[in-house]
Amino acid sequence: MSYVKADCILPREILELVQEYADGQYLYIPKKASNHKVWGANTNSKNEVKQRNFNIYRKSLYGTNISSLAKEYYLSEKSIQRILLQQKRIQVDIIE
């Protein structure tokens, strides 16, 4: 995120009003709710994590132990356990 000078984008009246409340302060102006995007919307990260988690689950089904999976994917054993539980629940939902 880069900073934009308020006096370059805000009308003078609004700038003076903002200065009454936050003169010289740095402000973060949040996006409108209608402009919010879900995590991973701009990249393929969400799909990559989904595929990684499925691969972890599949490897565990073929006998790879949690410790080996943690080392292979650079995750903690607790994270691997959480992923396996989530994937197991997803598979049960698909079957039902």
Side-chain angles (χ1 to χ4, degrees):
M1 173 171 62
S2 61
Y3 292 99
V4 178
K5 291 183 120 191
D7 58 355
C8 292
I9 60 170
L10 295 177
R12 187 84 184 128
E13 309 80 48
I14 294 176
L15 180 58
E16 289 173 359
L17 186 61
V18 170
Q19 285 173 326
E20 287 182 34
Y21 294 93
D23 192 26
Q25 299 288 319
Y26 288 103
L27 297 176
Y28 168 76
I29 301 173
K31 289 184 176 189
K32 295 183 211 174
S34 60
N35 291 338
H36 280 264
K37 294 181 181 177
V38 296
W39 178 83
N42 290 340
T43 65
N44 201 29
S45 298
K46 197 171 193 175
N47 289 332
E48 290 172 0
V49 169
K50 188 175 181 180
Q51 185 62 48
R52 179 206 66 186
N53 291 351
F54 178 75
N55 289 340
I56 289 171
Y57 179 70
R58 189 181 48 153
K59 286 181 179 185
S60 75
L61 291 177
Y62 285 108
T64 306
N65 65 38
I66 290 174
S67 179
S68 297
L69 290 168
K71 288 176 186 170
E72 181 179 348
Y73 289 95
Y74 302 98
L75 296 169
S76 68
E77 290 185 14
K78 198 71 171 165
S79 293
I80 296 294
Q81 291 170 346
R82 179 184 45 79
I83 290 167
L84 293 176
L85 183 59
Q86 287 172 344
Q87 289 297 309
K88 186 175 182 180
R89 288 179 179 152
I90 290 169
Q91 298 308 313
V92 168
D93 289 343
I94 290 172
I95 294 170
E96 292 177 347

XYZ file of all heavy atoms in Angstrom:
796
model
N 0.859 -1.163 0.000
C 0.000 0.000 0.000
C 0.904 1.224 0.000
O 1.873 1.309 0.735
C -0.894 -0.012 1.243
C -1.699 1.252 1.407
S -2.951 1.228 2.688
C -2.020 0.975 4.163
N 0.569 2.194 -0.841
C 1.333 3.432 -0.863
C 0.468 4.576 -0.340
O -0.756 4.511 -0.382
C 1.796 3.731 -2.284
O 0.689 3.880 -3.135
N 1.155 5.583 0.142
C 0.440 6.741 0.689
C 0.146 7.737 -0.421
O 0.921 7.896 -1.355
C 1.273 7.420 1.780
C 1.417 6.562 3.009
C 2.554 5.814 3.222
C 0.394 6.503 3.942
C 2.684 5.012 4.348
C 0.514 5.715 5.063
C 1.657 4.972 5.268
O 1.785 4.194 6.373
N -0.981 8.414 -0.294
C -1.378 9.464 -1.227
C -1.623 10.720 -0.403
O -2.268 10.663 0.650
C -2.676 9.062 -1.982
C -3.108 10.166 -2.918
C -2.475 7.759 -2.732
N -1.107 11.838 -0.864
C -1.318 13.089 -0.140
C -2.783 13.480 -0.234
O -3.363 13.523 -1.314
C -0.437 14.193 -0.715
C 1.034 13.986 -0.442
C 1.826 15.144 -0.982
C 2.543 15.772 0.189
N 3.138 17.048 -0.149
N -3.365 13.745 0.916
C -4.791 14.072 0.976
C -5.123 15.307 0.153
O -6.173 15.364 -0.495
C -5.238 14.259 2.424
N -4.217 16.284 0.138
C -4.525 17.503 -0.608
C -4.505 17.295 -2.120
O -4.949 18.152 -2.874
C -3.611 18.664 -0.197
C -2.134 18.375 -0.381
O -1.773 17.242 -0.751
O -1.331 19.301 -0.151
N -4.031 16.128 -2.566
C -4.046 15.806 -4.000
C -5.367 15.167 -4.430
O -5.683 15.159 -5.619
C -2.898 14.864 -4.343
S -1.276 15.623 -4.180
N -6.111 14.604 -3.467
C -7.336 13.901 -3.865
C -8.612 14.430 -3.202
O -9.696 14.204 -3.720
C -7.221 12.383 -3.597
C -6.984 12.089 -2.123
C -6.140 11.769 -4.452
C -7.098 10.618 -1.775
N -8.479 15.106 -2.076
C -9.682 15.586 -1.382
C -9.967 17.052 -1.721
O -9.038 17.854 -1.834
C -9.513 15.456 0.133
C -9.379 14.054 0.700
C -9.134 14.117 2.208
C -10.597 13.217 0.389
N -11.242 17.383 -1.849
C -11.587 18.795 -2.022
C -11.145 19.587 -0.790
O -11.076 19.066 0.326
C -13.113 18.785 -2.132
C -13.474 17.387 -2.467
C -12.413 16.514 -1.895
N -10.826 20.841 -0.967
C -10.308 21.715 0.099
C -11.206 21.704 1.332
O -10.723 21.628 2.462
C -10.176 23.152 -0.455
C -9.508 24.090 0.486
C -8.011 23.949 0.343
N -7.327 24.779 1.318
C -6.391 24.310 2.124
N -6.048 23.061 2.084
N -5.790 25.104 2.972
N -12.537 21.766 1.130
C -13.471 21.804 2.269
C -13.367 20.535 3.116
O -13.387 20.587 4.347
C -14.925 21.959 1.796
C -15.206 23.087 0.834
C -14.829 22.753 -0.609
O -15.190 21.668 -1.118
O -14.165 23.595 -1.230
N -13.266 19.399 2.444
C -13.176 18.125 3.175
C -11.829 18.030 3.886
O -11.751 17.581 5.037
C -13.415 16.932 2.231
C -14.864 16.955 1.730
C -13.103 15.610 2.927
C -15.203 15.903 0.715
N -10.772 18.440 3.227
C -9.442 18.413 3.841
C -9.420 19.259 5.110
O -8.903 18.826 6.145
C -8.389 18.905 2.850
C -6.947 18.927 3.356
C -6.499 17.538 3.803
C -6.023 19.475 2.293
N -10.013 20.443 5.063
C -10.054 21.307 6.247
C -10.873 20.667 7.360
O -10.508 20.757 8.539
C -10.611 22.680 5.873
C -9.645 23.502 5.035
C -10.246 24.808 4.515
O -11.436 25.078 4.779
O -9.508 25.545 3.842
N -11.941 19.992 7.015
C -12.769 19.299 8.012
C -11.982 18.154 8.662
O -12.005 17.993 9.886
C -14.053 18.779 7.359
C -15.087 18.156 8.280
C -15.569 19.167 9.316
C -16.258 17.642 7.466
N -11.273 17.367 7.870
C -10.458 16.269 8.405
C -9.357 16.830 9.305
O -9.063 16.272 10.361
C -9.868 15.414 7.256
C -8.834 14.430 7.787
C -10.968 14.676 6.516
N -8.770 17.951 8.910
C -7.705 18.553 9.707
C -8.191 18.976 11.090
O -7.423 18.967 12.050
C -7.110 19.761 8.970
C -6.207 19.355 7.822
C -5.748 20.542 6.998
O -6.475 21.513 6.820
N -4.528 20.439 6.477
N -9.462 19.306 11.220
C -10.008 19.651 12.536
C -9.934 18.463 13.495
O -9.784 18.626 14.693
C -11.458 20.119 12.401
C -11.613 21.494 11.787
C -13.067 21.925 11.736
O -13.839 21.568 12.652
O -13.421 22.620 10.770
N -10.059 17.253 12.969
C -10.072 16.042 13.800
C -8.710 15.358 13.890
O -8.386 14.746 14.899
C -11.097 15.037 13.260
C -12.515 15.519 13.380
C -13.137 16.192 12.331
C -13.230 15.339 14.551
C -14.441 16.646 12.441
C -14.533 15.784 14.678
C -15.130 16.441 13.623
O -16.411 16.898 13.744
N -7.917 15.440 12.811
C -6.679 14.662 12.781
C -5.564 15.444 12.090
O -4.928 14.944 11.166
C -6.932 13.337 12.077
N -5.313 16.640 12.533
C -4.304 17.490 11.915
C -2.921 16.853 12.029
O -2.427 16.584 13.122
C -4.312 18.873 12.579
C -3.510 19.892 11.807
O -3.367 19.717 10.576
O -3.023 20.855 12.429
N -2.307 16.574 10.900
C -0.958 16.004 10.875
C -0.875 14.521 11.168
O 0.216 13.961 11.218
N -1.989 13.845 11.365
C -2.000 12.409 11.685
C -2.030 11.578 10.395
O -2.504 12.035 9.363
C -3.249 12.061 12.506
C -3.349 12.783 13.821
C -2.346 12.274 14.827
O -2.114 11.082 14.925
N -1.742 13.181 15.552
N -1.527 10.351 10.493
C -1.676 9.399 9.398
C -3.009 8.704 9.592
O -3.330 8.256 10.693
C -0.558 8.349 9.414
C 0.778 8.901 8.987
C 1.753 9.184 9.922
C 1.043 9.135 7.643
C 2.982 9.691 9.542
C 2.272 9.643 7.249
C 3.240 9.916 8.187
O 4.442 10.410 7.803
N -3.791 8.614 8.528
C -5.102 7.975 8.608
C -5.173 6.813 7.643
O -4.629 6.873 6.539
C -6.218 8.968 8.242
C -6.397 10.179 9.133
C -7.474 11.086 8.546
C -6.787 9.746 10.529
N -5.856 5.777 8.062
C -6.190 4.673 7.169
C -7.666 4.803 6.856
O -8.497 4.883 7.758
C -5.906 3.317 7.826
C -6.498 2.176 7.051
C -5.908 1.737 5.871
C -7.667 1.554 7.474
C -6.457 0.705 5.137
C -8.225 0.517 6.749
C -7.622 0.092 5.581
O -8.170 -0.922 4.865
N -8.004 4.829 5.599
C -9.405 4.923 5.202
C -9.809 3.558 4.667
O -9.334 3.128 3.609
C -9.617 6.028 4.149
C -9.169 7.371 4.731
C -11.069 6.064 3.696
C -9.162 8.514 3.751
N -10.667 2.842 5.385
C -11.047 1.488 4.962
C -11.904 1.517 3.701
O -12.557 2.519 3.395
C -11.840 0.956 6.155
C -12.305 2.166 6.875
C -11.314 3.249 6.625
N -11.878 0.400 2.987
C -12.721 0.257 1.804
C -14.181 0.177 2.219
O -14.499 -0.250 3.326
C -12.373 -1.031 1.049
C -11.059 -0.982 0.351
C -10.862 -2.257 -0.445
C -9.590 -2.194 -1.248
N -9.478 -3.308 -2.165
N -15.041 0.540 1.295
C -16.474 0.340 1.519
C -16.733 -1.160 1.581
O -16.020 -1.947 0.946
C -17.294 0.918 0.361
C -17.213 2.400 0.212
C -18.135 2.797 -0.939
C -17.622 4.000 -1.660
N -18.418 4.303 -2.842
N -17.726 -1.553 2.333
C -18.046 -2.976 2.479
C -18.299 -3.625 1.122
O -17.954 -4.786 0.899
C -19.255 -3.160 3.391
N -18.875 -2.881 0.205
C -19.191 -3.441 -1.114
C -17.934 -3.699 -1.948
O -17.988 -4.432 -2.935
C -20.125 -2.497 -1.872
O -19.503 -1.237 -2.055
N -16.793 -3.130 -1.561
C -15.554 -3.309 -2.311
C -14.621 -4.358 -1.705
O -13.558 -4.610 -2.251
C -14.803 -1.976 -2.409
C -15.520 -0.993 -3.290
O -16.317 -1.366 -4.136
N -15.258 0.281 -3.084
N -15.018 -4.950 -0.580
C -14.171 -5.954 0.070
C -14.122 -7.224 -0.759
O -15.109 -7.640 -1.355
C -14.691 -6.281 1.471
C -14.296 -5.270 2.489
N -13.196 -5.416 3.297
C -14.838 -4.078 2.821
C -13.087 -4.369 4.090
N -14.077 -3.537 3.819
N -12.946 -7.830 -0.787
C -12.761 -9.103 -1.474
C -12.364 -10.146 -0.444
O -11.743 -9.832 0.564
C -11.666 -8.992 -2.533
C -12.029 -8.058 -3.665
C -10.928 -8.002 -4.688
C -11.300 -7.038 -5.797
N -10.227 -6.914 -6.778
N -12.716 -11.379 -0.709
C -12.347 -12.459 0.198
C -10.866 -12.782 0.030
O -10.263 -12.497 -1.006
C -13.204 -13.726 -0.034
C -14.657 -13.460 0.271
C -13.047 -14.236 -1.442
N -10.294 -13.405 1.050
C -8.883 -13.766 1.015
C -8.617 -14.650 -0.196
O -9.340 -15.590 -0.477
C -8.514 -14.510 2.302
C -7.085 -14.955 2.297
C -5.998 -14.218 2.618
C -6.594 -16.250 1.946
N -4.857 -14.964 2.487
C -5.198 -16.215 2.071
C -7.197 -17.420 1.522
C -4.402 -17.309 1.805
C -6.405 -18.515 1.261
C -5.005 -18.450 1.409
N -7.554 -14.334 -0.935
C -7.155 -15.136 -2.083
C -7.851 -14.759 -3.372
O -7.618 -15.382 -4.403
N -8.691 -13.746 -3.360
C -9.443 -13.370 -4.562
C -8.528 -12.817 -5.651
O -8.809 -12.995 -6.835
C -10.527 -12.361 -4.214
N -7.454 -12.143 -5.292
C -6.561 -11.545 -6.288
C -5.455 -12.481 -6.740
O -4.736 -12.178 -7.678
C -5.926 -10.266 -5.727
C -6.935 -9.151 -5.589
O -7.985 -9.181 -6.215
N -6.617 -8.169 -4.775
N -5.289 -13.596 -6.051
C -4.225 -14.541 -6.391
C -4.804 -15.942 -6.431
O -5.979 -16.166 -6.202
C -3.101 -14.506 -5.340
O -3.631 -14.965 -4.089
C -2.514 -13.115 -5.177
N -3.949 -16.891 -6.681
C -4.373 -18.289 -6.714
C -4.074 -18.977 -5.382
O -4.162 -20.194 -5.267
C -3.659 -19.002 -7.870
C -4.382 -20.250 -8.296
O -5.595 -20.349 -8.172
N -3.634 -21.210 -8.802
N -3.740 -18.193 -4.355
C -3.314 -18.745 -3.067
C -4.342 -19.693 -2.460
O -3.996 -20.746 -1.936
C -3.029 -17.623 -2.069
O -1.987 -16.823 -2.525
N -5.599 -19.307 -2.525
C -6.649 -20.125 -1.910
C -6.687 -21.519 -2.544
O -6.757 -22.530 -1.839
C -7.990 -19.411 -2.063
C -9.061 -19.908 -1.153
C -10.273 -18.996 -1.225
C -11.231 -19.283 -0.120
N -12.340 -18.347 -0.082
N -6.605 -21.566 -3.867
C -6.621 -22.860 -4.555
C -5.355 -23.658 -4.285
O -5.405 -24.888 -4.155
C -6.810 -22.661 -6.059
C -8.205 -22.208 -6.398
O -9.156 -22.502 -5.680
N -8.342 -21.478 -7.484
N -4.219 -22.962 -4.190
C -2.958 -23.649 -3.910
C -2.971 -24.281 -2.526
O -2.509 -25.408 -2.349
C -1.784 -22.685 -4.051
C -1.526 -22.276 -5.493
C -0.488 -21.182 -5.628
O 0.050 -20.720 -4.605
O -0.226 -20.774 -6.773
N -3.498 -23.575 -1.532
C -3.591 -24.117 -0.172
C -4.563 -25.291 -0.152
O -4.298 -26.320 0.490
C -4.002 -23.018 0.837
C -4.368 -23.609 2.183
C -2.889 -22.005 0.994
N -5.664 -25.159 -0.861
C -6.655 -26.241 -0.934
C -6.024 -27.503 -1.537
O -6.203 -28.606 -1.014
C -7.843 -25.771 -1.776
C -9.018 -26.686 -1.784
C -10.169 -26.035 -2.569
C -11.388 -26.908 -2.590
N -12.493 -26.284 -3.346
N -5.275 -27.328 -2.623
C -4.609 -28.457 -3.272
C -3.532 -29.054 -2.366
O -3.407 -30.270 -2.252
C -3.995 -28.030 -4.603
C -3.390 -29.166 -5.391
C -4.413 -30.212 -5.787
O -5.471 -29.875 -6.303
N -4.116 -31.467 -5.545
N -2.752 -28.183 -1.694
C -1.720 -28.660 -0.775
C -2.333 -29.504 0.330
O -1.859 -30.594 0.655
C -0.973 -27.471 -0.168
C 0.111 -27.886 0.836
C 0.405 -26.844 1.862
N -0.731 -26.610 2.737
C -0.758 -25.654 3.663
N 0.254 -24.835 3.815
N -1.819 -25.498 4.433
N -3.440 -29.018 0.913
C -4.085 -29.741 2.001
C -4.611 -31.086 1.543
O -4.513 -32.085 2.254
C -5.197 -28.892 2.612
C -4.656 -27.698 3.362
O -3.462 -27.571 3.581
N -5.537 -26.787 3.742
N -5.167 -31.132 0.328
C -5.645 -32.405 -0.204
C -4.476 -33.369 -0.413
O -4.575 -34.564 -0.112
C -6.416 -32.202 -1.516
C -6.876 -33.499 -2.111
C -7.950 -34.183 -1.565
C -6.209 -34.051 -3.200
C -8.363 -35.389 -2.097
C -6.626 -35.253 -3.741
C -7.703 -35.927 -3.189
N -3.354 -32.850 -0.918
C -2.167 -33.694 -1.117
C -1.650 -34.245 0.204
O -1.230 -35.405 0.280
C -1.069 -32.917 -1.832
C -1.411 -32.653 -3.284
O -2.251 -33.324 -3.878
N -0.775 -31.648 -3.860
N -1.669 -33.436 1.242
C -1.254 -33.892 2.573
C -2.158 -35.026 3.030
O -1.688 -36.068 3.514
C -1.268 -32.721 3.583
C -0.121 -31.741 3.268
C -1.184 -33.218 5.023
C -0.166 -30.446 4.056
N -3.461 -34.851 2.865
C -4.429 -35.869 3.269
C -4.200 -37.169 2.487
O -4.171 -38.255 3.059
C -5.848 -35.345 3.049
C -6.930 -36.314 3.418
C -7.178 -36.655 4.744
C -7.727 -36.903 2.448
C -8.172 -37.546 5.098
C -8.731 -37.791 2.782
C -8.954 -38.109 4.106
O -9.943 -38.997 4.448
N -4.013 -37.031 1.178
C -3.828 -38.210 0.326
C -2.564 -38.967 0.721
O -2.564 -40.194 0.826
C -3.750 -37.769 -1.132
C -3.765 -38.917 -2.124
C -3.660 -38.387 -3.491
N -2.544 -37.436 -3.459
C -1.792 -37.128 -4.495
N -2.046 -37.633 -5.650
N -0.796 -36.283 -4.383
N -1.479 -38.232 0.985
C -0.227 -38.879 1.384
C -0.388 -39.595 2.726
O 0.192 -40.666 2.927
C 0.911 -37.870 1.446
C 1.390 -37.446 0.079
C 2.541 -36.470 0.172
C 3.015 -36.086 -1.220
N 4.196 -35.227 -1.196
N -1.187 -39.001 3.618
C -1.405 -39.665 4.915
C -2.182 -40.960 4.732
O -1.939 -41.937 5.429
C -2.116 -38.736 5.892
O -3.487 -38.618 5.579
N -3.102 -40.968 3.781
C -3.860 -42.192 3.499
C -2.955 -43.304 2.966
O -3.218 -44.481 3.180
C -4.984 -41.921 2.492
C -6.146 -41.058 2.972
C -7.136 -40.819 1.838
C -6.841 -41.680 4.165
N -1.897 -42.903 2.257
C -0.955 -43.879 1.717
C 0.146 -44.235 2.703
O 1.104 -44.904 2.350
C -0.357 -43.392 0.402
C -1.324 -43.485 -0.750
C -1.890 -42.348 -1.304
C -1.704 -44.726 -1.278
C -2.785 -42.421 -2.357
C -2.605 -44.817 -2.323
C -3.136 -43.660 -2.859
O -4.025 -43.747 -3.899
N 0.029 -43.733 3.943
C 0.928 -44.174 5.000
C 2.022 -43.210 5.430
O 2.813 -43.544 6.314
N 2.102 -42.042 4.835
C 3.122 -41.082 5.268
C 2.741 -40.551 6.649
O 1.605 -40.137 6.857
C 3.241 -39.910 4.272
O 3.458 -40.432 2.964
C 4.383 -38.982 4.645
N 3.679 -40.588 7.589
C 3.357 -40.176 8.958
C 3.373 -38.653 9.110
O 3.899 -37.915 8.269
C 4.274 -40.860 9.981
C 5.718 -40.457 9.835
O 6.029 -39.314 9.557
N 6.610 -41.416 10.042
N 2.786 -38.189 10.191
C 2.618 -36.756 10.447
C 3.965 -36.038 10.511
O 4.120 -34.940 9.960
C 1.795 -36.533 11.733
C 0.348 -36.948 11.477
C 1.874 -35.090 12.198
C -0.542 -36.927 12.694
N 4.938 -36.635 11.139
C 6.256 -36.013 11.261
C 6.884 -35.777 9.887
O 7.433 -34.704 9.615
C 7.157 -36.899 12.122
O 8.438 -36.338 12.226
N 6.794 -36.766 9.013
C 7.347 -36.634 7.661
C 6.606 -35.572 6.859
O 7.226 -34.789 6.125
C 7.278 -37.967 6.922
O 8.067 -38.929 7.569
N 5.295 -35.532 6.993
C 4.497 -34.524 6.294
C 4.854 -33.119 6.775
O 4.962 -32.187 5.975
C 3.005 -34.790 6.495
C 2.442 -36.025 5.778
C 1.045 -36.342 6.282
C 2.445 -35.816 4.278
N 5.054 -32.981 8.079
C 5.412 -31.678 8.642
C 6.747 -31.199 8.071
O 6.884 -30.025 7.701
C 5.476 -31.760 10.160
N 7.705 -32.087 7.965
C 9.011 -31.719 7.411
C 8.911 -31.394 5.920
O 9.498 -30.425 5.439
C 10.013 -32.843 7.640
C 10.435 -32.975 9.083
C 11.346 -34.158 9.289
C 11.627 -34.324 10.788
N 12.296 -35.577 11.080
N 8.161 -32.186 5.191
C 8.028 -31.995 3.748
C 7.355 -30.669 3.397
O 7.740 -29.991 2.450
C 7.225 -33.146 3.138
C 7.047 -33.047 1.637
C 6.276 -34.208 1.052
O 6.059 -35.221 1.747
O 5.874 -34.090 -0.120
N 6.341 -30.294 4.169
C 5.568 -29.092 3.864
C 5.946 -27.890 4.738
O 5.309 -26.853 4.659
C 4.074 -29.389 3.982
C 3.579 -30.269 2.853
C 3.503 -31.648 3.005
C 3.215 -29.709 1.636
C 3.070 -32.452 1.960
C 2.767 -30.498 0.589
C 2.702 -31.869 0.755
O 2.273 -32.660 -0.275
N 6.967 -28.056 5.571
C 7.447 -26.969 6.443
C 6.322 -26.424 7.332
O 6.140 -25.219 7.461
C 8.068 -25.833 5.618
C 9.222 -26.303 4.766
C 9.037 -26.607 3.423
C 10.488 -26.466 5.323
C 10.093 -27.058 2.641
C 11.550 -26.914 4.543
C 11.341 -27.213 3.204
O 12.399 -27.660 2.444
N 5.586 -27.356 7.922
C 4.503 -27.016 8.842
C 4.746 -27.735 10.162
O 5.488 -28.718 10.220
C 3.146 -27.444 8.265
C 2.698 -26.756 6.975
C 1.482 -27.468 6.396
C 2.383 -25.305 7.229
N 4.083 -27.270 11.211
C 4.185 -27.971 12.492
C 3.333 -29.239 12.433
O 2.415 -29.356 11.610
C 3.702 -27.074 13.630
O 2.302 -26.859 13.518
N 3.652 -30.168 13.311
C 2.857 -31.400 13.373
C 1.413 -31.075 13.738
O 0.475 -31.711 13.253
C 3.484 -32.390 14.356
C 4.790 -32.958 13.834
C 5.380 -34.043 14.719
O 4.664 -34.569 15.606
O 6.561 -34.375 14.514
N 1.223 -30.082 14.588
C -0.127 -29.664 14.980
C -0.898 -29.150 13.756
O -2.091 -29.442 13.599
C -0.036 -28.571 16.057
C -1.296 -28.373 16.812
C -1.536 -29.559 17.718
C -2.695 -29.272 18.634
N -3.183 -30.470 19.265
N -0.236 -28.398 12.885
C -0.887 -27.911 11.663
C -1.277 -29.076 10.752
O -2.354 -29.077 10.162
C 0.025 -26.950 10.903
O 0.212 -25.764 11.627
N -0.404 -30.047 10.637
C -0.705 -31.227 9.820
C -1.914 -31.958 10.397
O -2.832 -32.350 9.652
C 0.514 -32.174 9.725
C 1.681 -31.486 9.005
C 0.129 -33.484 9.040
C 1.453 -31.177 7.545
N -1.954 -32.127 11.705
C -3.097 -32.788 12.343
C -4.394 -32.031 12.061
O -5.426 -32.631 11.770
C -2.880 -32.898 13.854
C -1.781 -33.863 14.240
C -1.426 -33.783 15.720
O -1.807 -32.856 16.424
N -0.676 -34.779 16.194
N -4.336 -30.706 12.137
C -5.515 -29.877 11.872
C -5.973 -30.041 10.423
O -7.163 -30.216 10.146
C -5.190 -28.407 12.158
C -6.338 -27.449 11.899
C -5.940 -25.990 12.102
N -4.669 -25.623 11.523
C -4.473 -25.360 10.212
N -5.475 -25.428 9.376
N -3.281 -25.032 9.772
N -5.021 -30.025 9.498
C -5.341 -30.193 8.078
C -5.965 -31.560 7.829
O -6.969 -31.680 7.116
C -4.080 -30.003 7.213
C -3.665 -28.526 7.230
C -4.302 -30.492 5.787
C -2.276 -28.256 6.673
N -5.402 -32.595 8.436
C -5.934 -33.947 8.245
C -7.369 -34.057 8.769
O -8.224 -34.660 8.126
C -5.025 -34.982 8.924
C -3.636 -35.139 8.307
C -2.810 -36.119 9.123
C -3.733 -35.576 6.857
N -7.627 -33.446 9.908
C -8.977 -33.464 10.462
C -9.946 -32.717 9.548
O -11.048 -33.210 9.260
C -8.983 -32.851 11.864
C -10.316 -32.856 12.602
C -10.842 -34.275 12.781
C -10.164 -32.174 13.951
N -9.545 -31.565 9.063
C -10.403 -30.790 8.152
C -10.682 -31.564 6.872
O -11.822 -31.620 6.400
C -9.743 -29.454 7.786
C -9.738 -28.444 8.892
C -8.912 -27.208 8.540
O -8.113 -27.220 7.609
N -9.105 -26.147 9.302
N -9.645 -32.170 6.314
C -9.809 -32.925 5.070
C -10.682 -34.159 5.276
O -11.485 -34.495 4.412
C -8.444 -33.333 4.508
C -7.644 -32.180 3.952
C -8.325 -31.512 2.779
O -8.736 -32.157 1.827
N -8.462 -30.206 2.854
N -10.546 -34.785 6.428
C -11.379 -35.951 6.726
C -12.848 -35.537 6.784
O -13.722 -36.223 6.248
C -10.944 -36.572 8.053
C -11.654 -37.862 8.380
C -11.089 -38.473 9.651
C -11.767 -39.778 9.958
N -11.247 -40.401 11.177
N -13.117 -34.388 7.403
C -14.495 -33.882 7.480
C -15.029 -33.551 6.088
O -16.186 -33.808 5.783
C -14.563 -32.651 8.376
C -14.395 -32.979 9.830
C -14.439 -31.731 10.687
N -14.296 -32.061 12.088
C -13.786 -31.264 13.001
N -13.370 -30.044 12.671
N -13.673 -31.647 14.248
N -14.195 -32.976 5.237
C -14.604 -32.654 3.871
C -14.949 -33.926 3.115
O -15.966 -33.987 2.427
C -13.490 -31.872 3.136
C -13.381 -30.462 3.725
C -13.754 -31.813 1.638
C -12.152 -29.689 3.257
N -14.140 -34.956 3.266
C -14.392 -36.214 2.569
C -15.668 -36.879 3.038
O -16.420 -37.435 2.253
C -13.188 -37.170 2.731
C -11.891 -36.652 2.155
C -12.002 -36.194 0.714
O -12.564 -36.874 -0.128
N -11.459 -35.030 0.424
N -15.946 -36.777 4.350
C -17.181 -37.342 4.890
C -18.376 -36.599 4.323
O -19.386 -37.209 3.944
C -17.180 -37.284 6.442
C -18.552 -37.579 7.003
C -16.150 -38.265 7.008
N -18.279 -35.256 4.217
C -19.367 -34.456 3.650
C -19.619 -34.800 2.193
O -20.758 -34.827 1.736
C -19.071 -32.956 3.772
C -19.176 -32.468 5.208
O -19.772 -33.189 6.048
O -18.656 -31.367 5.496
N -18.545 -35.096 1.444
C -18.687 -35.456 0.029
C -19.417 -36.798 -0.107
O -20.274 -36.948 -0.957
C -17.306 -35.523 -0.649
C -16.731 -34.102 -0.763
C -17.393 -36.172 -2.022
C -15.287 -34.053 -1.241
N -19.092 -37.735 0.770
C -19.695 -39.065 0.721
C -21.168 -39.026 1.069
O -21.993 -39.697 0.462
C -18.934 -40.055 1.643
C -17.525 -40.270 1.078
C -19.674 -41.369 1.767
C -16.607 -41.018 2.006
N -21.523 -38.181 2.038
C -22.920 -38.107 2.482
C -23.717 -37.372 1.514
O -24.367 -37.259 0.747
C -23.017 -37.400 3.838
C -22.406 -38.230 4.929
C -22.434 -37.492 6.269
O -22.694 -36.281 6.318
O -22.183 -38.143 7.271
